Amino acid sequence: MKILVTGATGWVGRAVVPELIDHGHEVTALVRSVSSAEAAERLGATTRTGSLDDLHGLQAAVAQAEGLCIWHSNTTSATLTPR
């Protein structure tokens, strides 16, 4: 499954991304900076530059995904939703 992950380089995301990849998923990390992109790529994810504040960029990223995993300090839960 193609999964878009936000917060991929955060505390929880750094553990989730490799697990998703180990279970055969293709992971794309939504990142805001070059340093975050490099960190996500070291975890094995491909990256897409964007932000949760950029509605059009976020819609484009989500449109390419079959599932969404949100992990960051602004949320209290994560969601993995297959289409």
Side-chain angles (χ1 to χ4, degrees):
M1 179 182 290
K2 294 179 183 179
I3 299 177
L4 177 69
V5 178
T6 67
T9 60
W11 179 256
V12 174
R14 287 191 312 252
V16 170
V17 168
E19 286 293 321
L20 290 169
I21 292 169
D22 286 349
H23 284 88
H25 300 290
E26 293 178 40
V27 175
T28 300
L30 185 68
V31 298
R32 292 178 288 176
S33 67
V34 171
S35 62
S36 290
E38 291 169 347
E41 289 167 357
R42 283 192 298 273
L43 294 171
T46 58
T47 60
R48 182 174 185 108
T49 302
S51 168
L52 295 177
D53 297 327
D54 172 17
L55 180 59
H56 295 293
L58 184 58
Q59 286 173 328
V62 169
Q64 300 299 311
E66 298 168 330
L68 176 62
C69 184
I70 301 172
W71 294 102
H72 56 84
S73 61
N74 293 4
T75 62
T76 57
S77 64
T79 305
L80 177 61
T81 308
R83 281 191 203 171

